[in-house]
C-alpha cells in the first residue's frame, strides 16, 4: 500500500482482492518528529522554508476554489426549511374490537389503553402534532392485497360469532370481530396519513399507535393477528402518490414479518430489514424464509435482510450490533428517502412471547440511529408487544427520541453474545456480494474464524436480565451551548502571513453560525481563562511557568522560544489566548454537567490535542480537551467515564500520552499515519499503541496510510469500530477533538470528508452518554470547509436531522485494511469486536430445519409465538446437526434406553401416507416448548456454540442432501413430525441395529446428550427418514414414563401457580422453574443457575419448567412424564394460556 491510497474500483469479483501490506520504512524517519506540521516530507529545511509562503498561498487559493465548487450542491442555509414536530395518530376507535371467544387473547384493547396512560403520564401527547386516523381506501389496500381478499374481509362486518370463528380458524393465529375490518382499515389509513404529513413537509417524523398489527398479513392471507399489512401499503403508497424511489422498512418485532418480506422480495426499490427470534426455525412463523440465507429473488436479491436470533434473552447490545454492523452500512449505500418501522415491542424484557431482554432505552437507541437516515423522514407503526408495562414504556421511549429528547444511557450495554455474533456473521456473508459497503479487508483475523466445534470459549458474562428501569428525561432550558471569545484572535504569527493556523479560523466559523441563524438557537455561554489548578491537571508547573514567561518576551526571543518546540509560533498574547481557549472549554463542560445545556460547541483556538504535559507541539499549547476531561471528573466527584473521539487528521499525541494509563478515559483517534511519516511522525499513532498498565486497551488508533479518506471510510470506521467500542465502554460524557483538516479542500489533510459526513458522525455519537457531547475545535485550515463543517455539526447538535448523504464510492481498500488492523489489535480488549466468521455457513442454514409448508387452521388460543412440535426435532443434513430444544412427552410407552430407527420412503412423507397415524399436533400435551426448556439446556451460548456444530457420522449424510426447493414460497418439504412420532410405539427394535448405531457414537456426538440435559445420545429416540434418495437424521429426547422420585411431588398450593413469577433469588423473568416439592421459583442454569443451587441445598428432585411445562428430575438426570405430574402441568398451562391442556392423559 502506498501513501497515495487505494483506488475504489471494487466489483463483484472482489473475492480475489489483493491484500496490501505496509512497506518497510526508515526508522530514522519515524522515530522522531523530523518535519514541521504541514511541511513537505523530506524536503530540506532551507528549501521548505523558502517555498513555504508561496506554497501556502497557492494551496489556500486552489483548495478554496475547489471547495466552493464542491459545496455548491450542499444547501446549509436551511433555516426556513428545517422541519420540526412529531406526528402522532392515536384513535380510540381502534379499541372497538376484541376476541369474542377468548378474553385472554394477547392482542386486545388493553394494549392501547396502557400506552395512552403512559403517554399522558409523561406529557407526550401534548408535545406531538396530533392527526386523526382515516380509512384506507380499497384502491390503497389493493397496492398490496388482492381485491378478492379485501372483499372477503369486508364481509366479516356482517358475520355472527360462529361464522367469524370458522373463518378465523382457516388462518394461523388470528381472530375476527365484526369491527376487525373497520379497525384494520383505520390502522392502515393512520400510517398513510403520517406518510402524507412527513412527505408533505408538515412534520419531521411520526408514530402510528394502532391495532391490529400488520406485518404478517400477506397478499391474500390473514396471519399472526394481522389483516392488512400497514407498512407494506404505506411503502407502495409513498412510491405511487409521492414519487418516492427508495423505501427502507425496518422490522424489529420479535416475530419475522414474513408478509412484508414476501411483498417486496423481488423489488429493489424497497429494502426490508428484519431482526427477529428464529431459533433455527423453531419459533413462529417457522419459515425457512426467515433465516439469514434468504436475501430476495431476481432483481430484489440482496434487498431482503434477515438477522435471525437463535436463542432467547437477546439484549440491547445484540440489537445495536445488528444495526451498526448490518443495517446502517447497507442503508448508507441504499440511500432511502423514507424509513418505515414495523415497531413491535415484544422483544422487550418481560414480554411473554418474545422472551428477550431488550430495554426501552435500547429501543430509544435504535430509533435514534434510524433518525440519521432519509433526512430524518421516519415513521414508526406499532406492531406487537404483549407485556403491557414493557409495551407502554417502549413506545414512550421511542416517542421521546422522535421528539428529540436524548437517549437514556444503557444500564448494561455489554457486547453482543456469541450467538448474535454468529447470526450477524452469516447475514454479512450472505449480503456481501450485493453491497460494496460490506466488503471486508482481506486482512482477516484468524481467531475470528469458527470452523466445526473449535469455538473460542468466552468467559460467562456476569450479566443479569434487568428489570425495566424507570427512565428519566432531562428538562432543558437550552439544547446546545456555544463558547467563543474574540480575544482568542490575538494569537497570530508575527513572521508568516500564510501560516495555516490563522485568527480568521474562529471568526469565520462564528460568522457562518450567525449567518445561518444557528448561533441564536444556541445558548452563548460566558468564557474565562483556565485557572492554574485546571492546567496543572494535565501540564507540569514548569511548563506553565515557561509559557507565562512568553508574555514579556521580545520578538526575537519569541521566535527562538517557538523554535524550541515542534511546529510552534508564539506571540505576546499566545499564553492568554491558550488559557482562554482551555477555560472556555471548561465553562462548556460545567454547563453540560449541570444540565444547563445538553451538548455544546467550543469555537476556540489555538488548538490543543498535540500539546504534551511539558511541551507545546503542532500549533498547540494547552491541551484543552484533556484539561476539560479532568475538569469534568473533578466537578463530578468521581472518575467519570469519558470518551474522547479525535477526528482531526493529525494524531493527538498529547491527548494519548496524558491518558494512556487511565481506564476512565477512552481515547479514539482517526488520523493519517502514512506508516509513521505524517505529522506528528513516529509510531505514536500506530494501531498497536493501546495504552499502558490499567489503561491498556483504552487507546485506540485508526491509522490511515494515505490521503483521499472520505465519508465512506469514516462511516465504515464508525460502524465497525468506533461505535461498538463506545457502546461497550458506555461513557458518561463524550468530548470530540473536532479538527476539520480531514475535510474536503483542506490544504494539509488531503482528505475528502464532507460537511454532511461530519453531521452524520456527530449524530451517531449523540446516542451515547445521554446525549452529553461537546465538540471542541482543533485543526482545519480551509476557512470555507471548517465553517461549513462546524455549521453542519452544530445544526445536528441542535436536533436537526443530518442531511442526506451520498457516498460516491465504497471505502478504499487501504482504509478497510487500517480498520481491520485496529480491530485485530483491540479484539482482545473489547468483546464487541469479536465478531465470529463462520466458515461453514451451511451448518446454520435454514434448509436443515423443519418448517411449515402452508398456514394451517389454528386455534387462536395457540397464538403467534407459541413454539409447536415442528421445532422439537433435531435435523441433520449436509454434515451438520442441530439439537432440538426440548422434549416431546407423547410417547410414555418407551423407556429411557430405547432407540428407534425409522426408515420412511418419500411416499410415506406425504399427507395421509400412514393409515395408522391419527395423531395430530393438537394431541401433544406440551407442544408449546421453546429452546432452553431444561435447567441445563437453555438458549445459551454453549448450546449454540456446541450443539449446533456437531458433525454426524459420515455414513449418515452426504454433501448433496439439500432438499429440493419447495413450490411454496418460504417453505420446504418435510415429513410430518406427528407422523414420525405416531409410528414409534408400533416399532419393533432390532437389537443388532441398535448396538451398531451405538457403536458409531463419537465423543462429539455425545455432546448432544450433554447439551440436552445430561442424557446421552443412546438415551434418545433416533429416527431416520429418506427424502428422494438422500437421508436426514432426526433426534428427539424421550421422557421417562416413571421415576422413583415422584413421591417427592407435594400438593399444589391453594394460590395456584404463577408462570410469570420471577426468580426468588435474582428476579430474573426468563427460563424459570418451579420446585414441585416446595413450589419455590428459581431460574435455570444458563441464567444464574439458582434452581440448580436450590436442588443441591434442599435435595428436592423434580422441577417444572415455566417455559414449556416439561418436568426434570435432577436425581435421574432425565425428563419425566407421568400422571402424577399432570395436575401441576395443567394448572400451569391454564395460567400460561388461559385454557386446559388439550389432553390430560
Amino acid at each position: 500500500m502506498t501513501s497515495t491510497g487505494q483506488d475504489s474500483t471494487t466489483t463483484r469479483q472482489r473475492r480475489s482482492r489483493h491484500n496490501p501490506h505496509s512497506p518497510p520504512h526508515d526508522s530514522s524517519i519515524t522515530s522522531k518528529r523530523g518535519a514541521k506540521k504541514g511541511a513537505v516530507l523530506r524536503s530540506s529545511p532551507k528549501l521548505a522554508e523558502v517555498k513555504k509562503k508561496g506554497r501556502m498561498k497557492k494551496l489556500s487559493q486552489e483548495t478554496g476554489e475547489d471547495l466552493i465548487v464542491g459545496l455548491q450542491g450542499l444547501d446549509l442555509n436551511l433555516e426556513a426549511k428545517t422541519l420540526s414536530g412529531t406526528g402522532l395518530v392515536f384513535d380510540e376507535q381502534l379499541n372497538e374490537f376484541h376476541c369474542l371467544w377468548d378474553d385472554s387473547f394477547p392482542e386486545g384493547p388493553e394494549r392501547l389503553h396502557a400506552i395512552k396512560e403512559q403517554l399522558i403520564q409523561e406529557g407526550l401527547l401534548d408535545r406531538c402534532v396530533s392527526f386523526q386516523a382515516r380509512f384506507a381506501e380499497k384502491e390503497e389496500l389493493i397496492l398490496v392485497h388482492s381485491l378478492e381478499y379485501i372483499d372477503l374481509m369486508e364481509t366479516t362486518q356482517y358475520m355472527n360469532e360462529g361464522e367469524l370463528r370458522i373463518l378465523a380458524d382457516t388462518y394461523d393465529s388470528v381472530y375476527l370481530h365484526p369491527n376487525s375490518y373497520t379497525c384494520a382499515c383505520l390502522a392502515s389509513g393512520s400510517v398513510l396519513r403520517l406518510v402524507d404529513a412527513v412527505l408533505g413537509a408538515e412534520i419531521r417524523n411520526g408514530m402510528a399507535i394502532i391495532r391490529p398489527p400488520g406485518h404478517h398479513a400477506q397478499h391474500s392471507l390473514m396471519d399472526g393477528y394481522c389483516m392488512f399489512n400497514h407498512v407494506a401499503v404505506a411503502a407502495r403508497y409513498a412510491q405511487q402518490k409521492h414519487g418516492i424511489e427508495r423505501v427502507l422498512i425496518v422490522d424489529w418485532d420479535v416475530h419475522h414479518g414474513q408478509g412484508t418480506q414476501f411483498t417486496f422480495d423481488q423489488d429493489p426499490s424497497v429494502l426490508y430489514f428484519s431482526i427477529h427470534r428464529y431459533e433455527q426455525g423453531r419459533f413462529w412463523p417457522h419459515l425457512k424464509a426467515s433465516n439469514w440465507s434468504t436475501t430476495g429473488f431476481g432483481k430484489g436479491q440482496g434487498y431482503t435482510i434477515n438477522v435471525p436470533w437463535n436463542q432467547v434473552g437477546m439484549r440491547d447490545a445484540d440489537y445495536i450490533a445488528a444495526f451498526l454492523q448490518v443495517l446502517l452500512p447497507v442503508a448508507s449505500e441504499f440511500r432511502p428517502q423514507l424509513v418505515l418501522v414495523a415497531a413491535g415491542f415484544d422483544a422487550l424484557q418481560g414480554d411473554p412471547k418474545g422472551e428477550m431482554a431488550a430495554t426501552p432505552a435500547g429501543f430509544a437507541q435504535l430509533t435514534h440511529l434510524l433518525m440519521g437516515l432519509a433526512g430524518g423522514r421516519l415513521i414508526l407503526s406499532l406492531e406487537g408487544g404483549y407485556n403491557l408495562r414493557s409495551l407502554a414504556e417502549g413506545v414512550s421511549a421511542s416517542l421521546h427520541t422522535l421528539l428529540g429528547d436524548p437517549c437514556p444511557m444503557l444500564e448494561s450495554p455489554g457486547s453482543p453474545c456469541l450467538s448474535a455474533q454468529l447470526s450477524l456473521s452469516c447475514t454479512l456473508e450472505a449480503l456481501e456480494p450485493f453491497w460494496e459497503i460490506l466488503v471486508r479487508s482481506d486482512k482477516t483475523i484468524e481467531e475470528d474464524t469458527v470452523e466445526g466445534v473449535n469455538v473460542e470459549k468466552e468467559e460467562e458474562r456476569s450479566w443479569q436480565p434487568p428489570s425495566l428501569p424507570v427512565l428519566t428525561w432531562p428538562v432543558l432550558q437550552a439544547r446546545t451551548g456555544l463558547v467563543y471569545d474574540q480575544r482568542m484572535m490575538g494569537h497570530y504569527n508575527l513572521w508568516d502571513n500564510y501560516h495555516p493556523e490563522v485568527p480568521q479560523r474562529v471568526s469565520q466559523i462564528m460568522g457562518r453560525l450567525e449567518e445561518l441563524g444557528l448561533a441564536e438557537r444556541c445558548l452563548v455561554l460566558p468564557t474565562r481563562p483556565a485557572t492554574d489548578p485546571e492546567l496543572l491537571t494535565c501540564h507540569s508547573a514548569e511548563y506553565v511557568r515557561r509559557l507565562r514567561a512568553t508574555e514579556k518576551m521580545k520578538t526575537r526571543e519569541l521566535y527562538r522560544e517557538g523554535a524550541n518546540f515542534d511546529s510552534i509560533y508564539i506571540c505576546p498574547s499566545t499564553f492568554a489566548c491558550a488559557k482562554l481557549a482551555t477555560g472556555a472549554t471548561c465553562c462548556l463542560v460545567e454547563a453540560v454537567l449541570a444540565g444547563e445545556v445538553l451538548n455544546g460547541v467550543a469555537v476556540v483556538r489555538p488548538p490543543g490535542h498535540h500539546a504534551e504535559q511539558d511541551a507545546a507541539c503542532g500549533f498547540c499549547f494547552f491541551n484543552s480537551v484533556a484539561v476539560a476531561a479532568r475538569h469534568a471528573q473533578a466537578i463530578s466527584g468521581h472518575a467519570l467515564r469519558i470518551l474522547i473521539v479525535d477526528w482531526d487528521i493529525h494524531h493527538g499525541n498529547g491527548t494519548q500520552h496524558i491518558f494512556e494509563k487511565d481506564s476512565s478515559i477512552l481515547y479514539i483517534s482517526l488520523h493519517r499515519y502514512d506508516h509513521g511519516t505524517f505529522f506528528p511522525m513516529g509510531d505514536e499513532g500506530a494501531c498497536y499503541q493501546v495504552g499502558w498498565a490499567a489503561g491498556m486497551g483504552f487507546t485506540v488508533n485508526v491509522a490511515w496510510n494515505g490521503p483521499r479518506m472520505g465519508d465512506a471510510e469514516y462511516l465504515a470506521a464508525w460502524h465497525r469500530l468506533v461505535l461498538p467500542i463506545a457502546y461497550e465502554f458506555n461513557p458518561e460524557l463524550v468530548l470530540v477533538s473536532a479538527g476539520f483538516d480531514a475535510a474536503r479542500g483542506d490544504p494539509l489533510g488531503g482528505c475528502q470528508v464532507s460537511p454532511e459526513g461530519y453531521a452524520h458522525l456527530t449524530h451517531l455519537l449523540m446516542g451515547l452518554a445521554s446525549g452529553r457531547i461537546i465538540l471542541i475545535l482543533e485543526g482545519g485550515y480551509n476557512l470555507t470547509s471548517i465553517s461549513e463543517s462546524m455549521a453542519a455539526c452544530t445544526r445536528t447538535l441542535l436536533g436537526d436531522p443530518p442531511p442526506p448523504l451520498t457516498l460516491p464510492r465504497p471505502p478504499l481498500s487501504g482504509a478497510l485494511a487500517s480498520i481491520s488492523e485496529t480491530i485485530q489489535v483491540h479484539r482482545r480488549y473489547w468483546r464487541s469486536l469479536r465478531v465470529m466468521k463462520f466458515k461453514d455457513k451451511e451448518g446454520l442454514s435454514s434448509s436443515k430445519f423443519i418448517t411449515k409448508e402452508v398456514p394451517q387452521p389454528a386455534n387462536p388460543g395457540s397464538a403467534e409465538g407459541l413454539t409447536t412440535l415442528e421445532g422439537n426435532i433435531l435435523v441433520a443434513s449436509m454434515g451438520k446437526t442441530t439439537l432440538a430444544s426440548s422434549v416431546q412427552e407423547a410417547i410414555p410407552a418407551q423407556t429411557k434406553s430405547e432407540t428407534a430407527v425409522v426408515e420412511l420412503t418419500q411416499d410415506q412423507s406425504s399427507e395421509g401416507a400412514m393409515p395408522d397415524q391419527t395423531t395430530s399436533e393438537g394431541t401433544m400435551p406440551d407442544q408449546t416448548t421453546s429452546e432452553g426448556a431444561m435447567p441445563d439446556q437453555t438458549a445459551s451460548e454453549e448450546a449454540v456454540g456446541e450443539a449446533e456444530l456437531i458433525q454426524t457420522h459420515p455414513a449418515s449424510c452426504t454433501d448433496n442432501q439439500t432438499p429440493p426447493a419447495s413450490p411454496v414460497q418460504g417453505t420446504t418439504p418435510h415429513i410430518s413430525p406427528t407422523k414420525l412420532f405416531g409410528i414409534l410405539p408400533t416399532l419393533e427394535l432390532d437389537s443388532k441395529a441398535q448396538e451398531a448405531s451405538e457403536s458409531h457414537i463419537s465423543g462429539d456426538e455425545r455432546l448432544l446428550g450433554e447439551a440436552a440435559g445430561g442424557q446421552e445420545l443412546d438415551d434418545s429416540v433416533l429416527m431416520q427418514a429418506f427424502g428422494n434418495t438422500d437421508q436426514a437424521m432426526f433426534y428427539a429426547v424421550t421422557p421417562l414414563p416413571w421415576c422413583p422420585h415422584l413421591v417427592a411431588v407435594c400438593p399444589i398450593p391453594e394460590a395456584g401457580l404463577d408462570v410469570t413469577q420471577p426468580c426468588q433469588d435474582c428476579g430474573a423473568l426468563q427460563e424459570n422453574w418451579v420446585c414441585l416439592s416446595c413450589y419455590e421459583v428459581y431460574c435455570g442454569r444458563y441464567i444464574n443457575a439458582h434452581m440448580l443451587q436450590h436442588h443441591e441445598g434442599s435435595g428436592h428432585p423434580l422441577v417444572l419448567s415455566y417455559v414449556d411445562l416439561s418436568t426434570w428430575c435432577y436425581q435421574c438426570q432425565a425428563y419425566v412424564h407421568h400422571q402424577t405430574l399432570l395436575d401441576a402441568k395443567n394448572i400451569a398451562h391454564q395460567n400460561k394460556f388461559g385454557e386446559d391442556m388439550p389432553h390430560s392423559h
Side-chain angles (χ1 to χ4, degrees):
M1 179 168 51
T2 67
S3 61
T4 58
Q6 304 295 318
D7 63 52
S8 60
T9 55
T10 53
T11 66
R12 297 286 176 91
Q13 288 76 35
R14 288 192 201 88
R15 303 303 176 192
S16 59
R17 295 189 297 273
H18 174 62
N19 180 20
H21 292 279
S22 302
H25 54 271
D26 190 342
S27 61
S28 66
I29 294 174
T30 60
S31 62
K32 60 181 180 179
R33 301 189 184 100
K36 298 293 184 181
K37 184 174 180 179
V40 177
L41 180 64
R42 297 185 183 179
S43 295
S44 68
K46 292 183 179 179
L47 181 60
E49 191 68 28
V50 171
K51 291 182 175 181
K52 185 176 181 181
K53 293 184 180 180
R55 184 180 70 253
M56 294 306 302
K57 182 176 181 180
K58 181 178 179 181
L59 281 173
S60 297
Q61 292 172 344
E62 290 180 352
T63 55
E65 293 171 359
D66 292 343
L67 186 63
I68 290 172
V69 173
L71 291 173
Q72 286 177 348
L74 175 65
D75 182 12
L76 282 176
N77 190 18
L78 301 174
E79 190 60 30
K81 303 177 185 178
T82 300
L83 298 177
S84 62
T86 294
L88 181 68
V89 179
F90 193 115
D91 197 309
E92 295 289 350
Q93 295 179 78
L94 296 173
N95 283 326
E96 295 178 357
F97 75 102
H98 61 277
C99 183
L100 296 170
W101 51 86
D102 184 358
D103 292 337
S104 65
F105 202 94
E107 205 297 294
E110 62 277 2
R111 297 177 64 233
L112 298 198
H113 293 322
I115 293 172
K116 183 177 181 180
E117 290 178 8
Q118 186 78 24
L119 300 188
I120 292 174
Q121 178 183 335
E122 299 188 22
L124 294 177
L125 290 180
D126 295 336
R127 294 178 58 190
C128 296
V129 180
S130 180
F131 290 95
Q132 186 71 30
R134 74 165 178 86
F135 285 92
E137 303 296 335
K138 280 191 177 182
E139 54 267 27
E140 295 165 341
L141 297 174
I142 207 171
L143 294 172
V144 170
H145 301 286
S146 70
L147 180 59
E148 295 77 10
Y149 171 68
I150 297 170
D151 288 340
L152 174 62
M153 293 298 103
E154 187 176 25
T155 64
T156 61
Q157 300 175 94
Y158 315 108
M159 293 181 181
N160 60 39
E161 179 178 338
E163 294 168 332
L164 291 169
R165 188 164 189 175
I166 290 172
L167 179 58
D169 284 348
T170 65
Y171 301 110
D172 186 358
S173 301
V174 301
Y175 69 84
L176 285 166
H177 183 279
N179 292 331
S180 291
Y181 174 77
T182 298
C183 291
C185 289
L186 273 175
S188 286
S190 298
V191 184
L192 300 186
R193 180 64 188 94
L194 289 179
V195 169
D196 286 335
V198 168
L199 298 182
E202 298 178 61
I203 53 175
R204 177 183 298 168
N205 52 45
M207 188 170 194
I209 300 176
I210 55 176
R211 57 179 294 264
H215 67 145
H216 299 306
Q218 301 172 40
H219 179 256
S220 300
L221 193 70
M222 287 188 76
D223 207 352
Y225 311 167
C226 303
M227 180 180 288
F228 298 133
N229 197 312
H230 315 308
V231 292
V233 172
R236 287 287 184 238
Y237 177 80
Q239 291 177 324
Q240 184 184 77
K241 181 175 179 180
H242 295 278
I244 294 298
E245 296 178 356
R246 296 178 304 280
V247 179
L248 167 63
I249 297 178
V250 176
D251 191 335
W252 68 43
D253 190 281
V254 82
H255 302 91
H256 178 236
Q258 77 276 28
T260 312
Q261 175 172 308
F262 295 161
T263 301
F264 301 111
D265 59 6
Q266 299 184 58
D267 186 350
S269 70
V270 177
L271 175 63
Y272 176 69
F273 172 91
S274 178
I275 182 169
H276 50 267
R277 182 176 169 186
Y278 181 61
E279 293 188 280
Q280 306 294 6
R282 292 185 290 272
F283 191 69
W284 198 92
H286 312 293
L287 294 176
K288 171 185 174 182
S290 304
N291 206 5
W292 57 264
S293 53
T294 300
T295 60
F297 303 95
K299 293 182 179 179
Q301 197 169 9
Y303 292 87
T304 293
I305 303 175
N306 285 311
V307 178
W309 292 148
N310 288 313
Q311 69 179 40
V312 297
M314 293 299 192
R315 307 172 302 159
D316 296 333
D318 304 306
Y319 280 85
I320 290 171
F323 271 50
L324 295 181
Q325 295 178 31
V326 181
L327 175 58
L328 294 186
V330 173
S332 68
E333 185 174 338
F334 179 67
R335 296 183 297 115
Q337 297 163 297
L338 175 67
V339 180
L340 302 173
V341 180
F345 293 93
D346 38 8
L348 282 168
Q349 173 73 29
D351 191 275
K353 296 190 174 301
E355 298 184 82
M356 296 299 175
T359 68
F363 278 99
Q365 292 284 344
L366 302 185
T367 304
H368 174 79
L369 294 174
L370 293 178
M371 289 170 68
L373 303 174
R377 297 196 288 190
L378 172 65
I379 298 172
L380 274 59
S381 175
L382 180 65
E383 295 285 352
Y386 306 101
N387 177 300
L388 298 185
R389 180 191 168 194
S390 298
L391 170 64
E393 294 188 1
V395 169
S396 169
S398 294
L399 192 55
H400 269 289
T401 307
L402 290 175
L403 285 162
D405 296 341
C407 298
M409 285 186 62
L410 301 176
E411 287 199 343
S412 302
S415 57
C417 66
L418 175 60
S419 179
Q421 291 173 344
L422 290 173
S423 292
L424 293 174
S425 175
C426 290
T427 299
L428 288 168
E429 288 282 335
L431 293 174
E432 185 176 335
F434 310 107
W435 299 97
E436 293 180 322
I437 198 76
L438 295 181
V439 172
R440 300 270 157 170
S441 168
D442 281 340
K443 294 195 173 185
T444 55
I445 303 167
E446 292 183 3
E447 294 83 357
D448 280 351
T449 300
V450 180
E451 187 172 11
V453 296
N454 298 319
V455 181
E456 178 185 350
K457 295 296 181 183
E458 293 188 291
E459 296 178 1
E460 289 293 329
R461 295 169 295 171
S462 58
W463 177 87
Q464 297 181 2
S467 58
L468 291 178
V470 177
L471 300 181
T472 58
W473 306 88
V475 178
L476 302 167
Q477 296 178 351
R479 182 181 178 92
T480 301
L482 175 63
V483 291
Y484 167 76
D485 196 312
Q486 191 172 0
R487 290 176 292 173
M488 286 181 279
M489 296 180 68
H491 169 66
Y492 62 94
N493 194 313
L494 297 171
W495 307 274
D496 183 0
N497 292 334
Y498 294 101
H499 191 282
E501 210 290 285
V502 295
Q504 290 76 19
R505 294 176 62 242
V506 291
S507 62
Q508 190 145 332
I509 289 174
M510 207 45 210
R512 186 59 173 153
L513 295 181
E514 292 172 347
E515 179 185 352
L516 295 174
L518 299 175
E520 66 185 43
R521 293 174 61 189
C522 297
L523 177 63
V524 179
L525 299 169
T527 61
R528 62 168 175 82
T531 65
D532 279 8
E534 290 167 349
L535 295 175
L536 292 176
T537 60
C538 296
H539 299 285
S540 68
E542 174 58 31
Y543 173 63
V544 174
R545 285 194 295 268
R546 183 176 180 181
L547 282 186
R548 180 176 279 114
T550 63
E551 291 184 298
K552 299 179 181 180
M553 287 184 181
K554 297 179 180 180
T555 303
R556 181 175 298 179
E557 294 173 322
L558 291 170
Y559 184 85
R560 290 175 179 171
E561 181 67 0
N564 289 328
F565 300 108
D566 188 355
S567 302
I568 286 295
Y569 70 79
I570 306 175
C571 72
S573 57
T574 294
F575 177 71
C577 291
K579 285 184 64 179
L580 192 56
T582 302
T585 306
C586 289
C587 288
L588 191 50
V589 165
E590 293 165 3
V592 169
L593 293 185
E596 188 177 358
V597 293
L598 174 63
N599 54 47
V601 175
V603 183
V604 295
R605 67 175 290 271
H609 69 143
H610 294 306
E612 301 277 5
Q613 182 182 14
D614 54 3
C617 179
F619 311 164
C620 303
F621 297 90
F622 293 131
N623 198 312
S624 298
V625 71
V627 173
R630 287 295 186 225
H631 186 58
Q633 292 181 326
I635 62 180
S636 66
H638 68 282
L640 201 70
R641 291 190 310 278
I642 299 176
L643 166 64
I644 299 176
V645 176
D646 190 338
W647 68 42
D648 189 283
I649 196 61
H650 302 93
H651 176 242
N653 52 288
T655 311
Q656 174 173 309
H657 291 152
I658 290 170
F659 297 119
E660 60 190 353
K661 295 182 181 180
D662 190 341
S663 62
S664 69
I665 308 288
L666 171 60
Y667 176 67
I668 303 178
S669 177
L670 303 93
H671 51 268
R672 275 189 67 177
Y673 181 62
D674 294 11
H675 309 294
T677 63
F678 199 77
F679 187 89
M681 321 297 285
D683 65 352
E684 286 112 328
C687 65
Y688 52 80
Q689 296 287 352
V690 299
W692 301 93
M696 188 170 291
F698 292 88
T699 294
V700 182
N701 286 309
V702 180
W704 306 132
N705 284 309
R708 299 174 54 212
M709 303 301 169
D711 296 339
E713 288 73 29
Y714 278 80
L715 279 177
W718 246 240
H719 294 151
R720 302 182 186 193
L721 175 64
V722 175
L723 290 174
I725 293 178
Y727 274 106
E728 186 174 348
F729 179 66
N730 199 24
E732 298 167 275
L733 177 67
V734 178
L735 303 177
V736 179
S737 280
F740 295 105
D741 38 8
R744 186 170 59 222
D746 190 90
L748 301 188
C751 289
Q752 301 170 352
V753 181
S754 68
E756 306 99 311
Y758 282 117
H760 280 267
L761 301 183
T762 302
H763 174 81
L764 291 170
L765 292 175
M766 287 168 63
L768 301 165
S770 295
R772 300 195 296 185
I773 175 174
I774 297 173
L775 270 61
I776 301 144
L777 181 65
E778 296 283 359
Y781 307 101
N782 181 296
L783 299 184
T784 303
S785 66
I786 62 173
S787 300
E788 301 297 348
S789 297
M790 184 61 94
C793 293
T794 304
R795 185 185 298 281
T796 303
L797 290 176
L798 284 163
D800 297 349
L805 184 64
T806 300
L807 300 180
R809 53 168 173 75
L812 300 174
S813 58
L816 296 179
S818 295
I819 295 169
S820 294
E821 289 169 355
T822 305
I823 290 174
Q824 181 167 358
V825 169
H826 278 275
R827 64 184 302 276
R828 72 184 65 182
Y829 309 112
W830 301 98
R831 291 178 179 269
S832 54
L833 301 181
R834 302 178 192 176
V835 177
M836 299 299 171
K837 189 168 185 177
F838 194 79
K839 277 190 173 180
D840 192 351
K841 304 191 299 293
E842 295 303 324
L844 299 177
S845 172
S846 63
S847 64
K848 315 307 177 296
F849 305 102
I850 292 180
T851 56
K852 70 179 184 182
E853 292 186 354
V854 293
Q856 299 293 329
N859 183 345
S862 65
E864 156 195 303
L866 302 183
T867 309
T868 66
L869 173 65
E870 293 170 315
N872 297 321
I873 297 180
L874 180 146
V875 184
S877 64
M878 297 192 69
K880 299 290 177 183
T881 65
T882 301
L883 180 65
S885 65
S886 56
V887 157
Q888 290 301 323
E889 304 178 7
I891 320 168
Q894 286 190 293
T895 64
K896 174 180 176 181
S897 62
E898 290 178 332
T899 301
V901 179
V902 185
E903 294 188 1
L904 302 178
T905 66
Q906 184 176 7
D907 291 339
Q908 287 174 309
S909 68
S910 61
E911 294 293 329
M914 300 180 219
D916 294 332
Q917 167 62 22
T918 59
T919 304
S920 66
E921 293 185 10
T923 65
M924 301 293 179
D926 293 299
Q927 62 179 344
T928 59
T929 54
S930 64
E931 184 169 4
M934 352 180 168
D936 45 3
Q937 159 54 23
T938 62
S940 66
E941 294 183 10
E942 292 182 8
V944 175
E946 294 179 7
E948 289 175 5
L949 306 178
I950 302 169
Q951 293 187 353
T952 59
H953 191 273
S956 68
C957 42
T958 62
D959 292 335
N960 59 349
Q961 284 183 306
T962 305
S966 170
V968 180
Q969 185 179 39
T971 64
T972 182
H974 68 274
I975 300 169
S976 169
T978 56
K979 293 180 179 177
L980 287 173
F981 279 97
I983 64 172
L984 287 176
T986 66
L987 294 176
E988 294 183 2
L989 300 176
D990 184 279
S991 59
K992 293 183 179 179
Q994 180 175 342
E995 292 174 3
S997 66
E998 292 175 354
S999 67
H1000 288 298
I1001 298 173
S1002 66
D1004 283 345
E1005 288 175 320
R1006 289 184 181 272
L1007 289 174
L1008 285 169
E1010 295 170 11
Q1015 289 180 290
E1016 296 181 349
L1017 185 64
D1018 56 334
D1019 296 331
S1020 303
V1021 177
L1022 173 64
M1023 298 173 289
Q1024 274 191 325
F1026 289 87
N1028 292 338
T1029 59
D1030 299 321
Q1031 291 186 19
M1033 280 290 214
F1034 297 81
Y1035 297 92
V1037 180
T1038 304
L1040 297 177
W1042 175 87
C1043 90
H1045 308 99
L1046 290 170
V1047 293
V1049 176
C1050 294
I1052 301 168
E1054 291 183 2
L1057 301 178
D1058 180 6
V1059 298
T1060 65
Q1061 186 176 345
C1063 173
Q1064 293 177 214
D1065 277 357
C1066 66
L1069 294 172
Q1070 63 184 93
E1071 302 297 343
N1072 284 332
W1073 296 72
V1074 61
C1075 175
L1076 294 180
S1077 296
C1078 63
Y1079 290 94
E1080 295 182 1
V1081 176
Y1082 298 98
C1083 60
R1085 175 172 300 180
Y1086 288 103
I1087 304 301
N1088 289 303
H1090 288 134
M1091 182 55 82
L1092 180 60
Q1093 295 171 20
H1094 171 71
H1095 159 68
E1096 292 171 348
S1098 66
H1100 297 167
L1102 287 155
V1103 291
L1104 172 68
S1105 168
Y1106 275 167
V1107 175
D1108 68 346
L1109 310 186
S1110 59
T1111 307
W1112 176 259
C1113 179
Y1114 282 107
Q1115 301 290 352
C1116 296
Q1117 281 293 293
Y1119 284 94
V1120 182
H1121 182 68
H1122 187 268
Q1123 186 71 30
T1124 304
L1125 306 170
L1126 291 183
D1127 286 344
K1129 288 191 174 189
N1130 193 50
I1131 290 177
H1133 193 279
Q1134 290 173 338
N1135 183 261
K1136 190 176 182 73
F1137 304 113
E1139 61 182 11
D1140 290 336
M1141 287 193 298
H1143 296 272
S1144 58
H1145 57 273

